Amino acid sequence: MTLSRISGLLLAIGLGVSIYLTWQHFTENASLICAESEVMNCASVTTSTYSRLFGIPVAILGLGYYAASCVLWQVAAHHSPAAKKLELPWYGLGLVFVLYLIWAELVPLGQICAWCTVVHITTIGLFLIALTERINR
């Protein structure tokens, strides 16, 4: 499997989870499908003060990020040099935001969200792939 295909798979997973978390945000009667324990509590994390940035739900920001990332990936896949150059800084921006969210989960909240962790892993993976591709060019 090529790095581009792995990126596509990571994007599909990240987009799917972002859609689910956004749907969950707007569906008051639904509950997150997530094992709950003292450390893992998706509902606690996704409704905390850290679940919004500048008043915008992080779930919506994630959905927008992954939708834009899918477009960027498609354009870059068609051998657009400009899009290829944008991938590393774009995924780097996602990485910085994910590091902030991981900090928010671990330090002030002391709880993690399994769904959020999936998005974190896919974002880190996309950054590492873009970095590898840039180094190998």
Side-chain angles (χ1 to χ4, degrees):
M1 186 174 272
T2 66
L3 288 179
S4 180
R5 288 181 189 251
I6 294 169
S7 291
L9 179 62
L10 292 174
L11 285 165
I13 292 167
L15 182 64
V17 173
S18 295
I19 289 168
Y20 173 70
L21 289 172
T22 301
W23 171 79
Q24 179 60 42
H25 174 78
F26 289 107
T27 309
E28 295 177 18
N29 294 330
S31 64
L32 281 166
I33 302 169
C34 178
E36 286 190 26
S37 68
E38 190 173 310
V39 174
M40 184 170 302
N41 190 327
C42 295
S44 175
V45 171
T46 61
T47 59
S48 74
T49 58
Y50 295 96
S51 67
R52 291 179 172 272
L53 185 66
F54 306 117
I56 303 169
V58 169
I60 294 172
L61 294 173
L63 178 59
Y65 177 82
Y66 269 92
S69 295
C70 288
V71 171
L72 177 62
W73 177 73
Q74 279 293 321
V75 173
H78 289 93
H79 307 293
S80 167
K84 262 306 195 201
K85 287 181 182 178
L86 280 176
E87 283 184 314
L88 185 59
W90 178 251
Y91 296 138
L93 177 66
L95 176 67
V96 169
F97 192 56
V98 157
L99 292 175
Y100 162 75
L101 293 173
I102 292 170
W103 169 85
E105 284 182 300
L106 296 177
V107 178
L109 296 176
Q111 296 180 315
I112 61 171
C113 166
W115 291 106
C116 302
T117 300
V118 170
V119 173
H120 300 164
I121 291 168
T122 60
T123 303
I124 292 167
L126 289 165
F127 173 78
L128 291 175
I129 288 170
L131 181 62
T132 300
E133 287 178 336
R134 178 72 58 93
I135 290 170
N136 290 335
R137 267 194 258 166

